[in-house]
Amino acid sequence: GGDHTITYPILQALAAKHGPVGLVHVDAHTDTGDTALGQSIYHGSPFRRCAEEGLLDCGRVVQIGIRGSSYDPDPHKYCREQGFRVVPAEECWMKSLEPLMREVRAQMGERPMYISFDIDGLDPAYAPGTGTPEIAGLTPAQALEIIRGCKGLNIVGCDLVEVAPMYDVSGNTALLGANLLFEMLCVLPGVKTL
């Protein structure tokens, strides 16, 4: 439930052990900003810092659910230049993500990878309790397809971030976040499920 900055030191530690890792990143935002208010480390910059430090196997980075307004006419340029695959939310609307996840599984291969899930990847109708909501996001069923689609991959870690209880009046965001974390635990290597 912390902000997305927490992923940066986690990936530093994992890369020190495994080398650069692949990444399945679900989010409304790419989190590849450079600076904000003069700071280079903040919740909108972790994946730029990770790319700069060589923590990511950039050809195995997939960002799913990206959307929202931007000050830049080409907001995904940095990601493409790094070799990231950006899957905008509109490419996910009203369809199953199982075909996408088959492609992602092939892209990840057998090497170590990480799942980073920002709750704002989901539409605020389902997860309003977050600091940077964006309309027209993913559904909970699509979130399950993404996570379950990672089963069998060499997952070395995962997180779920940006749940903000002060904005979660109904408690639905926390409920959804807890269930998605449970699903991530179920797809870790060696976990047996029915």
Side-chain angles (χ1 to χ4, degrees), residues 24-45:
V24 171
H25 171 210
V26 181
D27 204 321
H29 314 97
T30 63
D31 290 353
T32 55
D34 194 8
T35 61
L37 303 173
Q39 299 300 310
S40 63
I41 298 175
Y42 71 104
H43 71 102
S45 71

Side-chain angles (χ1 to χ4, degrees), residues 19-177:
V21 298
L23 175 69
V24 171
H25 171 210
V26 181
D27 204 321
H29 314 97
T30 63
D31 290 353
T32 55
D34 194 8
T35 61
L37 303 173
Q39 299 300 310
S40 63
I41 298 175
Y42 71 104
H43 71 102
S45 71
F47 300 112
R48 180 179 287 248
R49 302 289 84 89
C50 289
E52 290 170 349
E53 290 186 24
L55 310 177
L56 297 172
D57 180 353
C58 293
R60 294 191 309 124
V61 172
V62 180
Q63 299 180 301
I64 304 170
I66 307 302
R67 63 192 188 282
S69 58
S70 173
Y71 298 112
D72 190 318
D74 189 2
H76 309 137
K77 180 180 179 195
Y78 176 84
C79 300
R80 287 193 314 273
E81 289 173 348
Q82 305 316 303
F84 298 0
R85 179 178 181 185
V86 177
V87 182
E90 56 262 30
E91 291 182 17
C92 303
W93 292 344
M94 296 173 282
K95 65 172 105 169
S96 169
L97 298 187
E98 287 185 359
L100 169 65
M101 291 312 296
R102 281 194 295 274
E103 295 173 12
V104 170
R105 290 173 61 77
Q107 186 175 355
M108 291 298 142
E110 297 180 2
R111 290 175 287 163
M113 57 83 64
Y114 187 85
I115 304 169
S116 188
F117 202 115
D118 186 323
I119 201 71
D120 74 22
L122 294 167
D123 191 89
Y126 306 107
T130 188
T132 52
E134 301 281 0
I135 65 163
L138 304 175
T139 68
Q142 290 174 317
L144 292 178
E145 287 179 318
I146 293 167
I147 294 168
R148 291 175 181 179
C150 291
K151 187 172 179 64
L153 294 175
N154 186 5
I155 303 165
V156 294
C158 54
D159 63 47
L160 185 131
V161 298
E162 300 284 352
V163 173
M166 61 191 269
Y167 302 132
D168 193 23
V169 178
S170 67
N172 286 348
T173 311
L175 174 67
L176 184 52

